[in-house]
Amino acid sequence: MDITELAQLALSKITGITHNANLRHFWVYVLCGMAIAVCAHRVGGDDRKFHSVFFRKEVWGSRSAFIDYIILIANPIIMVLAFDWLLKKLWSLSAIVASGVKSFGADLQSESGSIWVAVALTVSLYVVNDFMRWWLHYLQHKIPVLWEFHKIHHSAEHLNFATAERHHPLDAVFFLTGTISAAALVNGIFVGLFGDQLTVYQLGGANVIFFGSNLIGGVLRHSPAWVSYGPRIEKWLISPAMHQIHHSSDPKHWDKNMGGGLAIWDRMGGTLYVPKGREELDFGIGEETQDYRTVYGIYIEPLIKAKRIFQRG
């Protein structure tokens, strides 16, 4: 891999703004999110000017923000060089599952062009992915070794769009292993039943339901804008405000709102926290936050702490 390819990898998350609808900071989501943020700020009765809240220097120019930017550039290179083989291998599970389904003699290929099959596949992929996002996130918080790596995401002291990509590579690999395996399983079942001429409804290359959920402010989950959908809706959907609560350093908010899009998993798992109104939040993980204010702390400290856990066990 030459220097040009490495540069392209490093900038992939940034250049993806223009064409990758699977990124939460895709330009369409950003524009819709900013419009929602401005409206929510005005309706919310905040006396401060919007720009003085959203574009505060500490949000975009603090040490925490610069760590976000470094991770944004470094992680794509690390992931491709170290783990690309594994992630590609996981997608091959789809063919294995499809073969297993076909071995049972099921043959519904005549239905492969049905609109209902396309709808079922689209909805199944979204719902299964959303559940896996909640469950894997739950494990990241509850299993000590996993938490040591997931802490990196929660060590952000200010939330901006780049914070969404603030993950230790091993934390990202754990999460992707689960979500890709689940998607491969769903794909494999449908291919085994209906053949490989299936259609997933997409917009801009993203599942249309994921696309729609991001139009209502997904990019604002990591931002200084408080956007709540109101208690009735937030029993069903995770709002940006609810995810910001998930990042709160207040103990009453710990391990709450772990869902991606749907709130039903948090409700079923007892991890749902619906705000009754605007809450002033501080972010980070308390005194331990200082351990993750350097590149060394971000990439090496979790390995050291995880090793101590294994040694104690």
Side-chain angles (χ1 to χ4, degrees), residues 203-278:
L203 279 175
N207 184 301
V208 67
I209 305 175
F210 176 80
F211 191 99
S213 67
N214 277 296
L215 291 182
I216 58 175
V219 70
L220 300 174
R221 290 158 60 93
H222 301 94
S223 81
W226 176 272
V227 175
S228 172
Y229 300 154
R232 290 185 179 180
I233 296 178
E234 288 175 340
K235 290 181 180 179
W236 299 96
L237 298 177
I238 299 291
S239 70
M242 292 170 72
H243 190 73
Q244 290 163 9
I245 283 171
H246 176 72
H247 278 267
S248 170
S249 59
D250 189 329
K252 73 178 182 181
H253 296 145
W254 292 353
D255 301 337
K256 301 297 184 182
N257 301 341
M258 299 191 203
L262 303 175
I264 56 176
W265 319 122
D266 279 301
R267 188 141 47 92
M268 293 169 61
T271 56
L272 185 66
Y273 181 100
V274 177
K276 296 179 180 178
R278 181 183 179 88

Side-chain angles (χ1 to χ4, degrees), residues 106-177:
D107 185 3
L108 302 174
Q109 293 197 36
S110 61
E111 302 294 327
S112 62
S114 167
I115 186 174
W116 297 113
V117 172
V119 169
L121 177 59
T122 302
V123 172
S124 296
L125 284 171
Y126 177 80
V127 172
V128 170
N129 175 268
D130 202 68
F131 169 74
M132 288 298 293
R133 288 169 65 85
W134 175 82
W135 184 58
L136 294 169
H137 198 176
Y138 182 89
L139 295 179
Q140 287 169 319
H141 278 254
K142 297 300 184 180
I143 298 177
V145 171
L146 295 180
W147 173 239
E148 290 301 337
F149 294 99
H150 190 60
K151 280 179 184 176
I152 300 307
H153 188 61
H154 283 269
S155 65
E157 296 169 76
H158 304 282
L159 303 185
N160 61 66
F161 294 160
T163 310
E165 305 297 332
R166 184 190 182 107
H167 298 283
H168 191 280
L170 292 180
D171 187 46
V173 167
F174 168 77
F175 196 80
L176 287 171
T177 297

